[in-house]
Amino acid sequence: MRDSIGFKNFRKIHRIFIHRISGLFLPLFVLIFLLYGGYKALQNTHTEALNTENRNPEQIPQLHSLSEFVGRDYQTQMENALPDQFPANQYVKKLYYGATNKALLKLFNHTFSFSDHYVSFRNKFYLYGKKDNLYIIANRHQFTPTKRKLLNEFASTVNQALKDNPQTNFYMYYVTLDRDIRFDNASKSGFWDYLSSRLELPPTHTDELHVSSFEDYQKYFMRTDHHWSYLGIYEAYTQLYNILGLESQGETQLKPIEKSPDPAQNPGKCQYERDGKTILVSKHYCDSRGRMTGSMDLFQEPFKAYRYQFPPMVITVEGEKVGFGDEESFFNGGKPEDQLRYREFYGYNNAETIFTTERDSRPNILVFGNSYFKPLLKMIASHYHQTYSIDLRYYKDVKKHEFNINEYIQEHQINEVLFIINILFIDDYHTIEL
């Protein structure tokens, strides 16, 4: 009898135990799954660019000690980085920005005249132009004491380099941006006027991309991108061809390749426009500024380009032989349209890129610039033996030392130095040692 009662109690206790363990199993499994997912996110931080916001993702910070973990700086970095590790976060943001931006534009269309004044939008950008052809515009930069100091430092460095290297020809080309002029009231910052007055260069060795009105800007720049269009690029190349004196040296100016009567000689995918030389690469281009609004579908424009016949050249980036720009792949359909970006088409930003042609009787040139000079590099390189391009924003991080212009000129037997700059170059200016 006692054994029977004991057995029944044991079975009852066993059932209660199993029931409670079963109830804990699902929460325990979910907890382990979440911990494992978090661990994998920490191990495999998301490194691809975030297209919705046109930026690189925040990275999970490295942890070196427990005291660092509880510190404010580490926790702030973790808070910023964790959402970027999950692709679903970008999808939600895309839906949010798309809906709110459409609502804002609908409201603005009934409230403002975009052609009369700048209309504030996302990320400190403005909308300006006709309602069916809006440009995403940055505001004009103010001529602050900091700007004056940077311009003076840069001019002083260039002037000293000019004196230290009397056998080398120096040239300066300035790209006027929307940051130099406000189109709704025609006010100008005057950065180039100030800088050029302090440079000890011959007037024939300097020039600028002239943008004095919104009509000029529409011709030379993109609607959804801060970079220039194919027309602005070719205008700059034509001006550079002149100030570098290439015609007097017997050099032939590059011309866009015109449509051939033989279809086999034309790009395999893209269509020529009526002028027979402009190629429509995409009808749905959207880059930096359009992406920064979070609404790539809302802000789109045609992407057009010229095609050129470059001489054979070897291109090295940080010492490795590579290609630079992927124009032909987009022209011929080798790359899908959704991968079209300014950097994919014209080339990525590199600390040092060297272009070497077979024209060893031609001089060597050193070119400084930022992302704006990338479409011009192969065009310039076509006229020289070796073209050395330097982006000072990345040089020190890659090379582990500041750029010394005098040493570089001597080491690479540089005959000409060309600066292709804008106010962003001055803002990001990194020291050039002498």
Side-chain angles (χ1 to χ4, degrees):
M1 185 73 176
R2 289 179 181 176
D3 291 343
S4 176
I5 293 173
F7 180 74
K8 288 181 179 179
N9 289 336
F10 172 79
R11 291 184 63 185
K12 183 177 180 181
I13 293 170
H14 183 263
R15 284 197 300 270
I16 293 172
F17 176 76
I18 294 298
H19 177 72
R20 290 183 176 179
I21 288 295
S22 300
L24 289 173
F25 178 77
L26 181 60
L28 185 63
F29 175 79
V30 171
L31 178 62
I32 292 173
F33 177 80
L34 291 175
L35 290 173
Y36 177 76
Y39 170 77
K40 295 300 289 183
L42 293 174
Q43 293 295 107
N44 302 291
T45 56
H46 192 57
T47 57
E48 294 182 0
L50 303 177
N51 285 331
T52 303
E53 298 170 283
N54 193 52
R55 63 178 177 87
N56 291 322
E58 299 288 341
Q59 299 301 307
I60 299 293
Q62 292 185 351
L63 180 63
H64 301 101
S65 66
L66 181 60
S67 60
E68 185 180 51
F69 176 77
V70 298
R72 178 181 296 178
D73 291 344
Y74 186 85
Q75 292 298 321
T76 300
Q77 292 177 47
M78 283 292 291
E79 288 178 10
N80 293 334
L82 282 176
D84 285 355
Q85 311 312 311
F86 303 97
N89 181 52
Q90 287 297 300
Y91 178 73
V92 172
K93 284 185 177 181
K94 183 178 180 180
L95 292 177
Y96 168 76
Y97 286 133
T100 55
N101 284 347
K102 284 181 180 178
L104 279 174
L105 274 181
K106 188 174 182 180
L107 173 64
F108 289 168
N109 279 327
H110 290 87
T111 309
F112 302 112
S113 173
F114 295 105
S115 58
D116 290 339
H117 49 77
Y118 285 14
V119 177
S120 180
F121 200 55
R122 297 273 189 196
N123 289 325
K124 298 181 180 179
F125 290 123
Y126 298 83
L127 300 179
Y128 188 70
K130 296 181 179 179
K131 290 183 178 181
D132 58 349
N133 193 40
L134 290 175
Y135 276 68
I136 304 173
I137 298 289
N139 200 2
R140 177 178 66 82
H141 284 196
Q142 300 295 319
F143 201 127
T144 62
T146 299
K147 285 282 200 300
R148 185 185 302 273
K149 181 175 181 291
L150 289 171
L151 290 165
N152 285 336
E153 289 177 355
F154 178 62
S156 177
T157 299
V158 173
N159 291 336
Q160 188 60 51
L162 182 64
K163 294 174 183 176
D164 293 344
N165 300 276
Q167 79 288 355
T168 306
N169 292 317
F170 282 71
Y171 303 88
M172 185 79 63
Y173 184 77
Y174 188 85
V175 183
T176 304
L177 306 177
D178 51 0
R179 293 169 171 84
D180 294 88
I181 178 173
R182 181 153 177 148
F183 302 118
D184 57 353
N185 59 24
S187 60
K188 297 181 179 181
S189 299
F191 299 129
W192 172 239
D193 290 341
Y194 183 85
L195 177 62
S196 60
S197 69
R198 278 151 181 77
L199 292 171
E200 298 173 5
L201 294 171
T204 55
H205 284 206
T206 67
D207 206 348
E208 66 171 316
L209 181 70
H210 300 277
V211 177
S212 57
S213 66
F214 186 56
E215 288 69 30
D216 292 337
Y217 188 84
Q218 287 177 294
K219 179 180 179 181
Y220 294 139
F221 289 89
M222 307 293 290
R223 287 176 49 225
T224 68
D225 194 356
H226 63 287
H227 291 112
W228 42 13
S229 68
Y230 72 108
L231 293 175
I233 293 164
Y234 194 72
E235 175 67 16
Y237 165 69
T238 301
Q239 291 177 288
L240 290 171
Y241 176 82
N242 292 327
I243 68 171
L244 292 170
L246 294 174
E247 184 177 13
S248 64
Q249 300 171 31
E251 288 294 300
T252 302
Q253 183 177 350
L254 291 175
K255 302 291 184 183
I257 298 175
E258 296 190 3
K259 182 178 181 180
S260 172
D262 180 6
Q265 301 298 318
N266 297 320
K269 176 191 175 185
C270 305
Q271 300 295 318
Y272 278 93
E273 302 217 319
R274 290 184 179 181
D275 63 2
K277 57 184 180 181
T278 302
I279 300 175
L280 177 62
V281 181
S282 172
K283 295 180 180 179
H284 309 290
Y285 177 74
C286 179
D287 215 331
S288 60
R289 290 178 177 174
R291 291 169 184 265
M292 289 177 74
T293 68
S295 299
M296 292 169 55
D297 298 334
L298 191 59
F299 296 98
Q300 294 185 347
E301 62 181 316
F303 184 91
K304 302 176 183 180
Y306 286 147
R307 194 173 177 224
Y308 303 98
Q309 182 65 53
F310 299 116
M313 63 181 71
V314 175
I315 304 172
T316 59
V317 174
E318 325 305 356
E320 295 186 11
K321 292 182 180 180
V322 295
F324 188 80
D326 221 352
E327 304 101 312
E328 289 301 315
S329 292
F330 286 106
F331 286 145
N332 293 301
K335 275 198 169 182
E337 188 177 331
D338 60 4
Q339 292 185 18
L340 179 60
R341 302 287 300 273
Y342 179 88
R343 66 189 181 203
E344 293 286 344
F345 195 84
Y346 289 118
Y348 278 73
N349 297 321
N350 304 301
E352 179 187 59
T353 308
I354 304 172
F355 304 79
T356 304
T357 69
E358 298 171 356
R359 309 184 64 196
D360 53 10
S361 63
R362 293 292 299 156
N364 297 336
I365 186 170
L366 169 61
V367 187
F368 293 93
N370 51 21
S371 59
Y372 286 83
F373 80 159
K374 293 187 297 181
L376 295 166
L377 290 175
K378 284 191 284 191
M379 304 173 81
I380 294 169
S382 300
H383 301 289
Y384 291 88
H385 173 45
Q386 288 189 304
T387 300
Y388 298 85
S389 73
I390 300 295
D391 191 330
L392 293 170
R393 296 174 298 172
Y394 308 102
Y395 190 87
K396 185 177 180 179
D397 288 341
V398 173
K399 303 293 185 178
K400 308 306 179 186
H401 61 82
E402 297 283 4
F403 183 86
N404 188 299
I405 190 169
N406 291 344
E407 291 180 0
Y408 202 92
I409 287 174
Q410 295 300 318
E411 180 182 353
H412 299 286
Q413 299 179 338
I414 300 297
N415 307 104
E416 299 176 5
V417 175
L418 169 63
F419 292 89
I420 302 175
I421 68 168
N422 47 51
I423 193 56
L424 298 178
F425 179 95
I426 300 299
D427 287 342
D428 293 331
Y429 177 58
H430 291 67
T431 303
I432 296 177
E433 292 185 347
L434 297 166

